[in-house]
Amino acid sequence: MQNARFALLIVTLFFIQLTGYSQSRQRWSFGPRVNLNLTNFAGPDADTYGTGELPSNASSVETNRLLPGIEAGVGFMYSDISRFGFAFDVLYSQRGNQTAATTNNTEFTRNTRLNYLSVPITARYFLNRSGNFRPNVYAGIVPAVLLSTKQVDKPANSTNTGNVNDRFKKGDLGLTAGFQANFRTGDRQRFTVDARYTYGVPNISEFTSNLHNQMITVGLGYNFGIGRQYQPGDRKLPIRNR
């Protein structure tokens, strides 16, 4: 967790410094984000998490199924005519996994839901300098703070719920990479479609030694230009003296 905080501090200081340098030539945008997460756990302990609590007569056990979740919030992006840029989002992010088994010809499922506040911070490379369609590829880090947990069991005719906060560590740090399609819809307005993969680096479990978050995310966004727009003659990144 200490390493995650240090990495977040370094990236934040870099962002503040770069923002200060780029005020005279900025192409900033801001807008909402809505994503679908398909998540489960990774690591040697992923396939055994929660199986010890299954009914004793369970059969046809499927461990570590993908669990759908939502991710929503806001995002900022800076793009430069040098094709380089960066972005950061502030998101409520649902993660976790599902275990399923058959008991007396009835399916038993256990959904383990982890709810995070996450801040994806990414470096961007745009495949063209301008235009109505401006796709980009990106990679970066995803610091996250655990907000709450919930485990939901669905046996034959009942539903048992409860938090499992004591089982999971309070923070995570993911590595992410993806692709974004970026379409102009109006004056300084763009519609975005994202697809990315994120892998959590640290162990998230308090009781096992090797359990990690992982997720595939598909998302939609809408960006509105803010601040001063780039003008011909303005300098590009990287910053050089004229």
Side-chain angles (χ1 to χ4, degrees):
M1 185 60 187
Q2 184 176 1
N3 291 337
R5 290 173 179 168
F6 179 75
L8 178 58
L9 176 62
I10 293 299
V11 173
T12 301
L13 292 175
F14 171 77
F15 170 77
I16 292 172
Q17 182 76 0
L18 190 56
T19 299
Y21 279 128
S22 63
Q23 290 300 311
S24 65
R25 53 199 175 280
Q26 60 186 346
R27 296 174 67 173
W28 285 97
S29 60
F30 161 85
R33 307 282 185 267
V34 178
N35 305 327
L36 169 67
N37 287 341
L38 298 175
T39 75
N40 62 5
F41 296 140
D45 297 321
D47 286 334
T48 58
Y49 175 81
T51 56
E53 302 167 8
L54 291 174
S56 59
N57 60 341
S59 62
S60 303
V61 177
E62 295 181 59
T63 62
N64 204 31
R65 279 182 171 180
L66 287 174
L67 181 67
I70 63 169
E71 193 171 62
V74 296
F76 292 85
M77 181 181 293
Y78 173 84
S79 61
D80 190 86
I81 63 169
S82 63
R83 297 194 183 188
F84 292 98
F86 58 90
F88 72 97
D89 300 338
V90 179
L91 303 170
Y92 170 79
S93 180
Q94 292 185 330
R95 308 177 192 180
N97 83 336
Q98 183 182 86
T99 297
T102 301
T103 305
N104 297 326
N105 296 320
T106 300
E107 185 178 66
F108 169 93
T109 61
R110 164 167 290 158
N111 293 343
T112 302
R113 175 75 70 192
L114 309 179
N115 301 312
Y116 288 88
L117 177 66
S118 71
V119 185
I121 304 169
T122 55
R124 306 268 170 157
Y125 179 76
F126 292 84
L127 303 185
N128 53 357
R129 295 182 185 275
S130 61
N132 292 331
F133 177 57
R134 199 169 183 231
N136 64 85
V137 293
Y138 59 88
I141 63 173
V142 187
V145 176
L146 185 64
L147 300 176
S148 64
T149 64
K150 189 174 185 180
Q151 185 168 281
V152 179
D153 295 346
K154 294 185 178 180
N157 295 307
S158 64
T159 298
N160 301 318
T161 65
N163 76 66
V164 286
N165 293 339
D166 60 332
R167 299 186 184 184
F168 294 97
K169 296 183 177 180
K170 303 307 179 185
D172 191 22
L173 178 64
L175 300 178
T176 191
F179 172 83
Q180 182 185 79
N182 187 313
F183 304 91
R184 189 198 303 273
T185 57
D187 182 28
R188 303 191 68 189
Q189 297 182 37
R190 288 185 177 268
F191 174 72
T192 64
V193 180
D194 278 84
R196 69 175 183 267
Y197 172 76
T198 304
Y199 180 84
V201 176
N203 174 43
I204 60 171
S205 173
E206 293 284 6
F207 300 105
T208 61
S209 60
N210 207 327
L211 190 71
H212 306 264
N213 280 313
Q214 67 173 347
M215 61 183 177
I216 298 170
T217 302
V218 179
L220 304 176
Y222 201 88
N223 287 1
F224 299 89
I226 57 175
R228 181 180 181 276
Q229 190 177 18
Y230 171 82
Q231 301 295 327
D234 288 343
R235 289 179 291 171
K236 304 181 295 181
L237 292 178
I239 299 158
R240 299 185 180 92
N241 294 327
R242 295 192 178 187

